[in-house]
Amino acid sequence: VWLSSQGLPGTEGSSYTLMRFGPARAFALGARGFASRPPAVLSIQSHVCYGAAGNSAAVFPMRRLGVEVWPVNTVQFSNHTQYAEGWEGLPTPTEQIGLLAKGIERIGALGRCSAILSGYLGTEEQGGAVLDVVRRVKAANPAALYCCDPVMGHPAKGCVVPEGVQRHHAEASAASADVLCPNVLELGVMTRSEPDTPQAVVRAARALLGAGSARLVLVKHLAHAGLSPDDSFEMLLVGHEEAWHIATPLLPFGRPPVGVGDLTSALFLVGLLQVDCTLPTAPAAGGVYHSSPHAMLPPPGPVPLFGLLQGRSPKAALEHTAGAYFEVMRATSEAEEYELQLVAAQDGLVDPPRSFEAIALDA
C-alpha cells in the first residue's frame, strides 16, 4: 500500500511525500509522515560479531519489521559457542546493564520503551540486573511489556547454563514476565517437569501462567513433545483459556543453525507490538489503555488469548512468526550455510511468501 502526504493537512513542505506500508501494518500519519513513533524494544541478550545469535539474530529482524531496537549485550563474543574451534570474548560487567538503562533514562527516552526483550544471561547476577531494568522501564511506562526468552539450552543438547541462571528463570523470570518464550527443555526446567506431549506442554505452560504475571507462553520449539517431530518444526502458544499449535516443514541442514529461538522470540514480540490496521480502535471489554499506544493489557486473572494486545492478535503474531522463520530457514538451507541468512531473507521477514495456519489445540 502506498500513501502520499500531498494534500494532507499540516504536510506542507514535508520531505516525506510517499510512504510504503507492508501488509496490515502502519502507524498514524502526521505532519512528517508518522504522528506517533514506532514501538521501541530494549533488547538485552548476547551478541556475536560474526553470525546470528542473541541480539545478532534479533535486532535486524525487529528493525526490518519497523521497530526501534535499543540493544544491550550481556556478552560479546567473536562467534557463537557451538563452533568446534571455540570463540573469543567476554561477558558484559553486570553493573553495565543497569548503567546503560540509567543513561537512557537520564536523556528522557526510557518512557518511550514499549517492551523489554531478554535472552541469554551469563550469570544469575545479570538476571537480577535485567529485572532492575524492567522495573525502571515500567516505572517510566507502565504499559511496557516484558518478554523473557529464558535461554538455557536446546532439547537435543541439554541445559548449558549454570544452576543459578536456571533458578533465576524458574523463580524470578516466571514471576515477572508478561510473555515467556521457552523451548520445551526450558519449560521443563521452569516447571520442574518433563512435558513430552502437546497436552503436557499446555499443562506446564499454564502452570507458569498461574504462578506469575505472564499472559502468554510461546513454546518456541516443541521438539520431541510435538505432534510430528521428525517432519516438522512446531511451536505452541498458550494462554489462560486457549492454545494454538503451528508447524512448518523441517528443512535439510548439514549443521542446524544456531539462534533460531532468538529469532522466533523477537518475531513474536514484534507481532504483538505492531499496529494492525484491521483491528478496531476501541478497547475490548474490560481492557484498559495505558500511556503507550502499542499495548492494551486486560485486568489480572484468566483472560481469552484474543484481545490481549492492541497489535496483531496473538494467533496472527504466531502465524507471521512461523512464516518469517520458515523463510529465513529456507534461505539458509538453500545457501548451505551454518549461520542464519537474515539479510538474504529480509523481504520474507516482512511479507513471508508462504503462510502457515495456527490450529486451536484442545487441551
Side-chain angles (χ1 to χ4, degrees):
V1 178
W2 291 88
L3 294 177
S4 172
S5 63
Q6 184 175 4
L8 291 174
T11 61
E12 295 80 1
S14 171
S15 59
Y16 300 91
T17 57
L18 193 64
M19 290 155 287
R20 185 177 187 272
F21 297 92
R25 292 186 300 278
F27 298 98
L29 282 172
R32 294 192 61 79
F34 293 117
S36 60
R37 294 185 179 96
V41 173
L42 184 62
S43 184
I44 310 175
Q45 307 194 54
S46 61
H47 170 79
V48 293
C49 299
Y50 173 80
N55 269 334
S56 300
V59 171
F60 175 76
M62 288 194 284
R63 286 176 173 163
R64 186 63 179 83
L65 285 163
V67 171
E68 290 186 16
V69 186
W70 309 338
V72 173
N73 301 327
T74 55
V75 302
Q76 182 152 311
F77 290 163
S78 56
N79 49 273
H80 68 66
T81 61
Q82 300 302 302
Y83 280 90
E85 299 84 352
W87 70 94
E88 297 292 343
L90 297 169
T92 299
T94 298
E95 60 270 21
Q96 182 161 311
I97 295 172
L99 287 173
L100 293 174
K102 188 181 295 185
I104 296 171
E105 182 180 35
R106 187 178 298 125
I107 62 173
L110 205 60
R112 288 177 46 204
C113 184
S114 309
I116 309 97
L117 173 62
S118 69
Y120 176 81
L121 303 174
T123 65
E124 183 178 8
E125 290 73 24
Q126 283 191 339
V130 168
L131 291 186
D132 285 342
V133 172
V134 170
R135 286 187 283 269
R136 190 182 293 272
V137 170
K138 290 201 171 197
N141 177 15
L145 298 177
Y146 174 33
C147 178
C148 174
D149 179 355
V151 177
M152 288 184 270
H154 187 279
K157 301 171 184 174
C159 204
V160 298
V161 298
E163 273 191 33
V165 174
Q166 297 178 44
R167 183 170 55 250
H168 169 81
H169 285 313
E171 298 172 1
S173 296
S176 304
D178 299 299
V179 180
L180 288 161
C181 300
N183 61 34
V184 69
L185 168 76
E186 294 154 353
L187 178 67
V189 171
M190 295 179 78
T191 58
R192 295 177 175 84
S193 65
E194 296 182 1
D196 57 1
T197 66
Q199 291 73 22
V201 169
V202 172
R203 289 194 294 271
R206 289 201 171 128
L208 282 183
L209 293 173
S213 59
R215 311 297 175 85
L216 289 172
V217 175
L218 171 65
V219 185
K220 61 182 184 283
H221 183 14
L222 284 180
H224 59 273
L227 296 174
S228 184
D230 294 331
D231 305 314
S232 302
F233 178 83
E234 301 171 73
M235 294 182 282
L236 190 60
L237 178 61
V238 182
H240 284 281
E241 296 180 359
E242 299 179 5
W244 297 94
H245 173 272
I246 200 162
T248 67
L250 282 179
L251 296 173
F253 290 98
R255 290 187 295 177
V258 171
V260 173
D262 308 317
L263 170 67
T264 52
S265 296
L267 290 171
F268 183 67
L269 175 60
V270 170
L272 296 178
L273 294 175
Q274 196 82 57
V275 173
D276 188 334
C277 297
T278 64
L279 294 178
T281 56
V288 179
Y289 280 114
H290 297 286
S291 59
S292 167
H294 309 299
M296 185 183 73
L297 296 180
V303 293
L305 202 56
F306 288 108
L308 180 68
L309 300 161
Q310 193 201 346
R312 286 187 172 120
S313 72
K315 174 178 179 285
L318 175 64
E319 290 171 338
H320 179 266
T321 297
Y325 150 83
F326 182 78
E327 183 61 14
V328 172
M329 299 303 279
R330 184 199 62 77
T332 306
S333 177
E334 289 183 359
E336 298 183 345
E337 289 284 351
Y338 184 28
E339 299 287 352
L340 294 174
Q341 298 300 292
L342 300 172
V343 174
Q346 62 180 292
D347 291 340
L349 291 170
V350 179
D351 190 11
R354 184 166 175 181
S355 60
F356 300 91
E357 182 182 2
I359 305 299
L361 187 69
D362 294 328

